[in-house]
Amino acid sequence: MSGDIRLMREFIATAVLLLLLALLPLLTRDVYWLGVLVVSAYFAILASSWNLLAGFTGQFSLAPAAFAMIGAYGAALSSAYYNVPPIAGLIIGSGVAGLIGLVLGRIVMRLKGPYLALTTLSFAEIARLVASNSINITRGDLGLPLEPWFNDRVVWFYVFLGALAFIIGGLYLLLRSKAGLFLEAIRDDEIAAARSGVRIVFWKTAAFAISSAAAGFAGALYAYFASLVTPELGLVQQTGLVVSMTVIGGMGSLIGPVVGAFLVYVTSEWLRDVGGWQLVIFAALVIVFARLFRTGLWGLVTAALATRRQRPA
Amino acid sequence: MRYVSHLAIAAFTLSASLAGNANAADPIKVGVTVTQSPPGSVVQGTQVKDGLEVVAKMLNDQGGVNGRPIELVIEDTQGLPEKARAGVEKLITRDKVVAIVGEHQSSNVLAGMEVAHRYHIPYINTNGWADAIREKGYPEMFNPNNYNRRVAMAAADSIKKLGAKKVVAFAENTDYGIGLAKGIGEQLKAVAPEISYRFDTLDRAAKDYLPAILPLRADPPDVVVDVMLPPAAYIMMNQVYEQGIAPSAKTWFYDASGLADYPDFWQNVKEAGKGLLVFGLYHPKMQAPALAKTVGDAYTAKTGAQPNRLLYQAADSLLVLADALKRANSTDPGALVKALEETKYTGTRGEITFSKEAGYKNHQWLDIPYVTFQVTEIGQKVADTPLVEQPGQPLDPSKLARP
Amino acid sequence: MLTGALAADLAVNGLVTGLFYGLMAIGLALIFGVLRIVNFAHGEFYMVGAYAYTIVAARLGVPLVVALPFAFLFGAALGWVVERTLMRPLYANIGSWGLMRDEYAVIVTFGLSLLLVNLVDKAIGPYAFRAPALVSASRIVVGPALMSGQKVAAAGVTLAVLALIALFLRFSYWGRAVRAVSQNRLGASLAGIDATAVSSLVFSLAGGLAALAGALLSPIINASPDVGAFPAIKSYVIVVLGGMGSIPGAFIASLLLGLVESFGAVLVSYQYRDTFGLVLLILFLLFRPQGLFGERGREV
């Protein structure tokens, strides 16, 4: 199956999933569960942004949560100190995150594998420590409050769903174009790609910048939803969640992170009452999928459908 | 034959349960947010939770409130403000609680009270000391517990009576630590401007504070003040002792966080605890109403542990709420808030009223009783320590044991 | 104000801290030398060792001279299991990751780290445990500095173990096999050395050493599920600074880091003490990726 058709199938599947989710408020107005779905959507955006960098370009950054935190603080600080309206806060948040991502991406360009992971991890920890210790500016662990944007939970649900659709749509257009080919070429064999004339520097840095901007956007939106920004947003555990969701859902596919995010987070909340072993299970799943099913749940589903189709009638 | 009897049993059970429901009174749900897992203070959370459960049982054994049993719905915040916010929201929207009680960490109170304010549900602050909580002036907030300004005044007063000239405080990097450390500085400047005071902020997640402590070896102060919570506080205290700084012949150690009554205190702090001066909100030898003994005994029977201040703060939180429910004779939030404002109730620590002034006094019980005691032996139970200061008995340094 | 007395104090404390970092980081350096990966679950071996020692000594009342080696063996056993089940795809060409072996290693060890932390958190409980000290003196004089008895004892054990490792690597058959595989895996196996066995050995040894470090420090830094995070980050910094795969480099870098953090905390900033190492790591990876003692030309 050619890459284009595969990508289009993933896009259609994602669109269908989002449409189904959009119908949910007709069935339930439960504020609590809608809230769970909102946070799942936040993770879906974050996981999709990480997937662009890691799944499609092969750059395994361990900093997605840090960029979300940067975006959140961008929005919160501009709102608290300069009273900017929410739309501006969103733009500032994603902009700052994207810019820092651009610089970081340029700096770590030549690093691969564990070296890239270590550097981005160090960056993430430094960012979190700075946010946590700059108590005069960010109020540290106490958190920075923001004026909430909308008060209705159902409105927030659709806002997040819309934002997710926007990001997925953007990613689809990007990956369908030549850019997608270049990024995957870099992922699969960077030296061969360079020799074929792909501008490695430009595309790797661009992937980093776009991914970070999207992560910052997710963080900024979440900041307005939660009305409180704390450094806890940037904890390595949060990155762990994002990585788990993407690996389980299916790295390198458009729909994988979305499926992974909703599945993992909703199950996690649902199981919370039951005893809390869900994190253990998800971590084990990550290991199992990495070891045995690299293409994740989505890969399993498409493989199963493919064999079904090939069975003689 | 068997089919018929099964049907009969089913019908009987169904009708019995329906009848049961018709007879049982609807419980009054009270929302509780506490820390039950790290990185927050699980010890504090458990003391509060146990205290609330003891009082809830007492109330229910006496027939409940307005004829209805109290049901506690408990959310674990892990000590994280975001989880506290989410927990309060879940309690109010999903569990439909009549009020929120139990929170023991200031940053969590600040996060949770925003939600309570949005839904106009009463929030009884069990152990959030931060002045910022009161200064917001939310009508739903009620504070029958200690406040930072009180500790600051007490600490400054004790330090002045000790005759200190140079004071160094170690504060944790939270609103509690920094707020209290700053407050102590302000009070000292007001009552004893000749005392030189400075504080160092330490990361509560770090495991080693030597770099901050070592410089004191060359230039030891007269008093070292602790404004940290466990487990970081224990590490700091051990290292301050290990380096020969305090408690010592030259330097007092004043524990403004009142850690000596924590259940894991002696397990973690050994010789470093001897000679410690402790700010306390509770001491077995202090004057207290009769209700305190009842609640304390019930607590010891349930947990096997000695009563502590968090128990009494938690108890008073729930008792004050129950009292307001009785006087309002309703669970309507607006009526509850009004009833709470008119509170004049003798709980486990004294007569509780809420001030109507603004600022740090808003809805605050101003005359929280406090004591100072000194630990004189390693492993000493709080009950055996000498009480060196309580309301009506000022601190006298000549009566203190010198290490 | 840096007086001579304070400087001496900081130096001694910094070196002792560096020793502990070294015990922790040597294992990671060995893993990197032989398997060419960074083990993101390294901190969890430290945590497992801390728990093994604490539970066995405090709960079961086993004598400390037995509890300590037990912790080491427990970590080593865990390392062996992990290597056999999860690390084989790195060199045995099984699994579907092909050219992305590095990425596989990152994800799988990251997942392992999450698994161990949450497993311990759920199975044993999130509260910190207090372990019995090897030596109960509160305060012992060491040159110009004062330190707790436990620290002195732990430092002594650490020095002994590090010396043993050095001798092992230098003079024993397997030690030389480790060095050979570390230099050139293909060449070593052509020369008849079982590279897979060496990988197993190294992973187990690293696990055991990290666990031992956790056990030794558990009376000072109580065991809790997330206790492994901070020694892990220090280890990453040290391995990069020393030169990926260089054992003597790792040792020197450990001592250096201990000193830098100790002096930096007093002279530069106490709050940002933990960021010095991280900044150094980033700078080295960018400008001197072979570290202080690694070989040039190692592809990064």
Side-chain angles (χ1 to χ4, degrees):
Chain A
M1 193 191 301
S2 102
D4 257 353
I5 299 182
R6 180 177 50 87
L7 196 64
M8 188 166 68
R9 284 193 192 218
E10 287 168 12
F11 178 64
I12 293 177
T14 319
V16 168
L17 178 61
L18 290 177
L19 269 167
L20 286 173
L21 284 170
L23 293 172
L24 275 177
L26 296 173
L27 293 171
T28 169
R29 292 274 162 148
D30 187 309
V31 171
Y32 173 70
W33 280 107
L34 282 178
V36 170
L37 289 170
V38 164
V39 181
S40 306
Y42 159 75
F43 276 112
I45 300 178
L46 196 49
S48 297
S49 78
W50 187 74
N51 193 28
L52 173 67
L53 196 54
F56 283 102
T57 319
Q59 297 188 79
F60 273 49
S61 148
L62 289 182
F67 281 108
M69 182 192 76
I70 290 175
Y73 271 110
L77 288 170
S78 49
S79 166
Y81 291 103
Y82 299 105
N83 281 316
V84 303
I87 300 274
L90 278 180
I91 297 180
I92 294 178
S94 0
V96 170
L99 225 86
I100 298 184
L102 179 70
V103 172
L104 184 64
R106 185 70 182 81
I107 294 180
V108 303
M109 235 223 11
R110 248 177 282 123
L111 301 178
K112 287 206 218 34
Y115 303 92
L116 178 62
L118 275 180
T119 312
T120 49
L121 181 64
S122 307
F123 164 77
E125 272 298 284
I126 293 178
R128 193 184 60 83
L129 286 169
V130 168
S132 174
N133 282 315
S134 308
I135 299 188
N136 289 330
I137 305 177
T138 62
R139 297 187 3 133
D141 282 333
L142 194 58
L144 200 57
L146 292 118
E147 285 304 317
W149 191 359
F150 307 105
N151 279 315
D152 190 312
R153 188 52 59 86
V154 178
V155 172
W156 266 119
F157 177 68
Y158 282 116
V159 167
F160 266 88
L161 222 52
L164 179 58
F166 170 67
I167 295 286
I168 296 287
L171 281 176
Y172 175 61
L173 289 174
L174 178 71
L175 291 167
R176 200 172 65 151
S177 71
K178 281 248 168 62
L181 276 175
F182 292 157
L183 293 178
E184 287 185 341
I186 294 177
R187 173 192 70 196
D188 293 334
D189 190 341
E190 190 170 319
I191 302 179
R195 227 169 272 145
S196 311
V198 176
R199 286 150 63 209
I200 307 284
V201 175
F202 177 77
W203 286 111
K204 274 178 103 166
T205 322
F208 230 103
I210 298 174
S211 165
S212 313
F217 171 68
L221 198 58
Y222 182 80
Y224 283 107
F225 170 69
S227 320
L228 185 74
V229 178
T230 63
E232 167 211 333
L233 270 176
L235 280 172
V236 180
Q237 290 151 252
Q238 301 282 49
T239 293
L241 262 180
V242 172
V243 170
S244 305
M245 290 164 172
T246 315
V247 170
I248 293 177
M251 263 198 332
S253 76
L254 203 55
I255 191 178
V258 180
V259 164
F262 277 94
L263 201 65
V264 168
Y265 195 74
V266 171
T267 318
S268 158
E269 281 296 310
W270 182 54
L271 288 179
R272 204 215 286 212
D273 298 333
V274 181
W277 283 80
Q278 67 273 16
L279 289 171
V280 176
I281 297 175
F282 292 136
L285 280 175
V286 169
I287 297 178
V288 165
F289 275 88
R291 179 79 176 73
L292 301 171
F293 309 115
R294 180 190 157 185
T295 44
L297 276 176
W298 180 249
L300 285 175
V301 164
T302 45
L305 288 176
T307 41
R308 188 98 65 75
R309 220 171 288 120
Q310 278 166 17
R311 211 171 292 151
Chain B
M1 216 30 204
R2 270 171 63 213
Y3 174 74
V4 171
S5 69
H6 279 186
L7 204 57
I9 291 175
F12 176 75
T13 319
L14 187 62
S15 61
S17 67
L18 282 175
N21 270 347
N23 282 336
D26 238 342
I28 297 182
K29 291 195 186 170
V30 176
V32 177
T33 63
V34 285
T35 300
Q36 291 285 273
S37 37
S41 172
V42 180
V43 168
Q44 280 195 339
T46 310
Q47 286 178 334
V48 169
K49 174 166 115 38
D50 287 337
L52 289 170
E53 285 174 347
V54 160
V55 169
K57 184 165 185 312
M58 268 173 53
L59 287 169
N60 290 344
D61 286 343
Q62 290 163 11
V65 173
N66 299 343
R68 298 165 63 183
I70 296 276
E71 180 187 320
L72 299 173
V73 186
I74 303 178
E75 283 294 316
D76 176 12
T77 65
Q78 295 183 274
L80 298 169
E82 166 52 32
K83 293 257 168 16
R85 182 204 66 83
V88 172
E89 189 166 282
K90 172 181 174 286
L91 287 167
I92 294 180
T93 58
R94 200 156 85 127
D95 300 297
K96 310 268 190 281
V97 300
V98 308
I100 305 283
V101 304
E103 187 52 70
H104 51 93
Q105 185 178 311
S106 283
S107 41
N108 284 7
V109 174
L110 283 163
M113 75 185 204
E114 295 291 335
V115 181
H117 175 59
R118 210 176 341 132
Y119 290 100
H120 305 298
I121 298 286
Y123 189 114
I124 302 186
N125 174 10
T126 297
N127 189 46
W129 295 9
D131 292 329
I133 294 172
R134 289 90 178 154
E135 282 158 4
K136 273 252 165 156
Y138 286 163
E140 299 81 11
M141 289 302 295
F142 290 92
N143 309 289
N145 71 310
N146 187 39
Y147 49 112
N148 268 349
R149 200 69 66 109
R150 187 82 166 153
V151 185
M153 295 194 268
D157 188 59
S158 301
I159 290 172
K160 178 174 177 194
K161 295 224 170 61
L162 286 172
K165 297 277 176 311
K166 206 164 24 161
V167 179
V168 171
F170 288 115
E172 61 173 36
N173 62 337
T174 60
D175 180 68
Y176 161 68
I178 298 180
L180 181 52
K182 277 199 182 139
I184 294 179
E186 283 161 15
Q187 292 297 321
L188 276 173
K189 238 201 296 253
V191 306
E194 71 280 5
I195 299 183
S196 110
Y197 169 84
R198 78 154 212 274
F199 70 91
D200 277 347
T201 316
L202 303 180
D203 181 1
R204 68 174 168 161
K207 316 286 182 191
D208 172 36
Y209 301 112
L210 276 183
I213 296 173
L214 285 178
L216 293 183
R217 267 189 83 190
D219 185 25
D222 300 308
V223 181
V224 170
V225 181
D226 164 42
V227 193
M228 299 172 73
L229 292 176
Y234 297 150
I235 299 178
M236 183 271 291
M237 288 170 79
N238 280 327
Q239 291 186 326
V240 168
Y241 176 76
E242 173 190 303
Q243 296 301 318
I245 297 172
S248 68
K250 176 140 195 343
T251 313
W252 298 104
F253 197 118
Y254 179 85
D255 176 15
S257 300
L259 301 177
D261 68 349
Y262 274 55
D264 59 349
F265 180 73
W266 286 114
Q267 206 199 348
N268 284 286
V269 170
K270 304 227 164 27
E271 287 117 330
K274 183 170 170 179
L276 204 63
L277 285 168
V278 188
F279 167 85
L281 292 163
Y282 167 71
H283 192 279
K285 294 182 188 150
M286 75 191 281
Q287 313 272 27
L291 187 55
K293 184 152 194 338
T294 322
V295 171
D297 289 341
Y299 176 81
T300 306
K302 174 184 155 90
T303 65
Q306 291 303 306
N308 52 71
R309 62 175 172 90
L310 278 176
L311 157 68
Y312 291 119
Q313 285 168 214
D316 282 341
S317 301
L318 193 53
L319 289 168
V320 153
L321 176 65
D323 172 67
L325 280 164
K326 287 190 189 130
R327 282 182 289 111
N329 202 11
S330 131
T331 57
D332 168 61
L336 260 185
V337 167
K338 263 186 128 287
L340 280 164
E341 279 187 344
E342 312 298 324
T343 298
K344 209 165 162 22
Y345 173 80
T346 301
T348 60
R349 292 171 292 154
E351 189 187 68
I352 303 175
T353 60
F354 295 114
S355 157
K356 296 205 172 46
E357 295 179 53
Y360 74 86
K361 296 184 186 170
N362 189 246
H363 284 183
Q364 173 67 49
W365 177 24
L366 291 174
D367 290 316
I368 308 270
Y370 72 86
V371 299
T372 310
F373 58 93
Q374 184 177 32
V375 176
T376 51
E377 298 298 331
I378 301 177
Q380 194 176 41
K381 287 212 191 35
V382 171
D384 300 327
T385 62
L387 199 53
V388 300
E389 184 178 17
Q390 70 171 317
Q393 177 197 337
L395 182 67
D396 182 358
S398 63
K399 294 224 177 64
L400 296 171
R402 205 80 223 215
Chain C
M1 248 290 295
L2 192 64
T3 63
L6 181 58
D9 228 343
L10 290 173
V12 172
N13 277 296
L15 285 172
V16 170
T17 309
L19 260 184
F20 297 134
Y21 286 165
L23 185 62
M24 182 69 188
I26 294 280
L28 198 64
L30 281 169
I31 290 182
F32 189 80
V34 171
L35 282 92
R36 294 280 188 279
I37 62 159
V38 171
N39 175 14
F40 279 95
H42 194 59
E44 278 55 61
F45 284 92
Y46 173 101
M47 181 262 290
V48 161
Y51 270 101
Y53 173 80
T54 307
I55 292 181
V56 157
R59 286 303 169 89
L60 303 180
V62 170
L64 304 178
V65 275
V66 174
L68 211 52
F70 172 76
F72 174 84
L73 290 170
F74 194 84
L78 183 64
W80 187 82
V81 168
V82 168
E83 192 275 332
R84 285 230 67 191
T85 54
L86 298 176
M87 298 295 135
R88 288 292 152 105
L90 292 174
Y91 30 84
N93 271 331
I94 47 187
S96 49
W97 287 76
L99 280 165
M100 290 175 68
R101 56 180 296 285
D102 288 337
E103 288 72 20
Y104 166 76
V106 169
I107 291 206
V108 110
T109 54
F110 200 68
L112 181 64
S113 160
L114 288 175
L115 177 67
L116 289 172
V117 171
N118 286 299
L119 193 58
V120 168
D121 179 85
K122 276 293 148 197
I124 301 183
Y127 321 105
F129 268 65
R130 175 78 176 170
L134 291 172
V135 173
S136 357
S138 256
R139 191 194 286 155
I140 295 185
V141 179
V142 175
L146 290 170
M147 43 183 92
S148 66
Q150 173 61 27
K151 230 181 189 175
V152 174
V157 172
T158 304
L159 271 171
V161 170
L162 286 175
L164 277 173
I165 299 285
L167 290 172
F168 166 76
L169 286 175
R170 196 93 211 282
F171 297 116
S172 80
Y173 168 75
W174 282 105
R176 284 187 304 212
V178 168
R179 277 159 52 212
V181 174
S182 169
Q183 279 180 0
N184 187 333
R185 193 183 185 93
L186 185 59
S189 39
L190 285 176
I193 296 178
D194 185 350
T196 309
V198 168
S199 302
S200 274
L201 170 67
V202 155
F203 218 91
S204 312
L205 187 60
L209 288 173
L212 182 64
L216 279 174
L217 290 177
S218 59
I220 304 173
I221 302 174
N222 298 349
S224 66
D226 58 350
V227 77
F230 109 93
I233 300 224
K234 304 293 179 203
S235 302
Y236 303 147
V237 171
I238 288 165
V239 165
V240 168
L241 254 57
M244 300 277 224
S246 162
I247 308 300
F251 181 67
I252 308 254
S254 316
L255 296 177
L256 267 175
L257 186 64
L259 287 170
V260 164
E261 284 184 348
S262 190
F263 279 92
V266 173
L267 296 175
V268 179
S269 155
Y270 175 73
Q271 283 178 305
Y272 287 104
R273 177 172 55 143
D274 288 327
T275 60
F276 301 148
L278 295 171
V279 170
L280 278 175
L281 178 144
I282 295 183
L283 289 174
F284 266 78
L285 274 180
L286 293 178
F287 300 117
R288 201 190 155 88
Q290 72 273 30
L292 293 169
F293 299 100
E295 296 154 20
R296 276 222 85 122
R298 198 164 284 240
E299 194 202 71
V300 149

